[in-house]
Amino acid sequence: MSDTDTPRRPGPWDIKPEETPAPRRVETHASARNAPLASTSAHAPVQGQSMGWAILSTLLLGGLIYYWTRSFEIVAAVLFGVLVHEVGHMLAMNRLGMGPARIFIVPFFGGAAIGQRPAASEWHGVLVALAGPAFGLLAAVPFFALYGWTGQGVWLACVMAIAFINLLNLLPAPMLDGSRAIGPVLARIHPLLERAVLIVIGGLAVLWGVSNGSWLFAFFLGLALFSYLKRGDWRPEGRRLTVGEAVKSTGLFILTAGACVGVGLLAILPGAESLAMAAGHGAGLFEFGQ
C-alpha cells in the first residue's frame, strides 16, 4: 500500500506553525542596515558522526583526561558526564522543534549537540543551552552511589569533575553554553554589553587555560573568541527575548549554576572540616596558575 497521497503526521521535532523563525536579516553597511533579504532557515540535514570517528574521538578525549588526572575512574566519569550533558541538549532540541539532533564527540575537547533547524526564538535557545548543564548533573548520581557503597574518595572526585565541567560550561564565553544562556539577556540591555562581557570572559578563560597548562582548552576557546570577533555585530535569527523571558532566563541561569555549585560542594564536604573550607577548595579550581 502506498502512502504517497496520505498527509504526513508532524513528528515531535517538527517546528510548530506559530514558532516558525523570522526571516534572516543580513547586517551590512549603514545604508543597507535592517533591510530584509529573502532567505530560508532550511539547510542540509546534519549527518551523524560515524562509529569509527566517534570511537577514535572518545579515545583521544579519554587519553587526554588520563594524562591530566592519571585516573581511569575520572576518565570514565568525564566521558559519561559529557555524554549525559549532550543528551540534555539533544532532548531539548528535539522537544523544541530543532531535531532530530545529533551528538558529536570532539577530540581533545568534549562534545557537541547539533540540531537540524535553528531555534525559533532566543528563549528556545536559552532553554537548549541550560538543558545541557542541568541534565548533565544527573551523571553524578551513579558516582554518589558508588561512594556510598564503597566509601572510596575517588568516586567523590568523579562527582566533582562532573560538577566542574558543567559549571565551566556556564561561563559566558564564546562557544560555551553560558554565552547562549545569558548572552541574549545582556543583548536585551544593550548589544555592546553582551559583546563586552563575552570578550572579557572569553579572554580570561583563555588565559586561565594557558596558566593551568590546559593548552587545548585554551586553543579551542581562543579560536571561538577569534571567530566571534570576526562576526562583528551578530545575533542569531529568531524572535528576541521578551522582558518576562529575560527575567526567567536569568533565574534559570542562576538556578543551574547554583545546582552545579551545590553538587560540587556535596562532593567536597566529606573531606573538608567546614562548608567554608569546601567552598574555598572549590573556588581554588578556578584560580590562575593551578
Side-chain angles (χ1 to χ4, degrees):
M1 181 177 177
S2 174
D3 294 329
T4 55
D5 296 329
T6 302
R8 183 178 69 84
R9 297 181 60 185
W13 47 79
D14 287 324
I15 298 178
K16 300 177 178 61
E18 66 274 12
E19 296 176 349
T20 302
R24 186 189 303 270
R25 291 178 180 268
V26 178
E27 297 289 345
T28 56
H29 53 80
S31 62
R33 187 173 299 277
N34 294 327
L37 301 180
S39 66
T40 175
S41 60
H43 50 77
V46 177
Q47 301 299 319
Q49 194 172 28
S50 69
M51 181 61 69
W53 182 241
I55 293 173
L56 177 60
S57 300
T58 303
L59 290 175
L60 291 173
L61 177 59
L64 179 64
I65 298 167
Y66 181 78
Y67 173 77
W68 283 338
T69 65
R70 304 297 179 184
S71 170
F72 286 111
E73 292 88 350
I74 293 182
V75 170
V78 172
L79 292 179
F80 182 59
V82 167
L83 177 62
V84 176
H85 178 106
E86 298 306 331
V87 166
H89 288 312
M90 181 186 72
L91 292 175
M93 286 178 178
N94 291 344
R95 177 66 180 84
L96 296 173
M98 300 166 62
R102 311 293 187 190
I103 294 177
F104 296 82
I105 301 298
V106 182
F108 304 118
F109 184 75
I114 302 178
Q116 304 290 342
R117 305 169 179 85
S121 66
E122 288 187 338
W123 170 239
H124 284 182
V126 169
L127 294 178
V128 169
L130 293 177
F135 193 81
L137 291 176
L138 294 177
V141 173
F143 296 98
F144 269 127
L146 284 170
Y147 171 73
W149 183 34
T150 66
Q152 296 178 0
V154 66
W155 303 120
L156 289 180
C158 293
V159 172
M160 186 61 198
I162 291 170
F164 178 75
I165 60 175
N166 283 291
L167 184 59
L168 188 66
N169 261 282
L170 286 173
L171 288 176
M175 188 171 62
L176 299 181
D177 294 331
S179 66
R180 299 176 178 89
I182 206 66
V185 178
L186 298 174
R188 181 171 179 81
I189 299 173
H190 197 287
L192 288 180
L193 177 62
E194 178 198 29
R195 188 170 178 80
V197 169
L198 264 63
I199 291 174
V200 170
I201 300 299
L204 290 174
V206 172
L207 291 176
W208 177 84
V210 171
S211 70
N212 287 280
S214 303
W215 297 100
L216 288 171
F217 175 81
F219 171 77
F220 279 110
L221 283 190
L223 187 63
L225 182 59
F226 177 73
S227 299
Y228 177 76
L229 290 171
K230 284 186 63 178
R231 280 189 299 215
D233 186 15
W234 174 89
R235 296 297 304 151
E237 65 178 12
R239 180 179 58 77
R240 304 294 182 253
L241 290 179
T242 64
V243 174
E245 289 169 347
V247 172
K248 288 188 288 186
S249 297
T250 304
L252 289 174
F253 177 82
I254 294 173
L255 286 175
T256 305
C260 293
V261 171
V263 170
L265 288 177
L266 287 176
I268 299 173
L269 273 175
E273 296 180 2
S274 65
L275 179 61
M277 289 186 63
H281 179 71
L285 295 175
F286 289 92
E287 292 181 0
F288 289 78
Q290 297 297 309

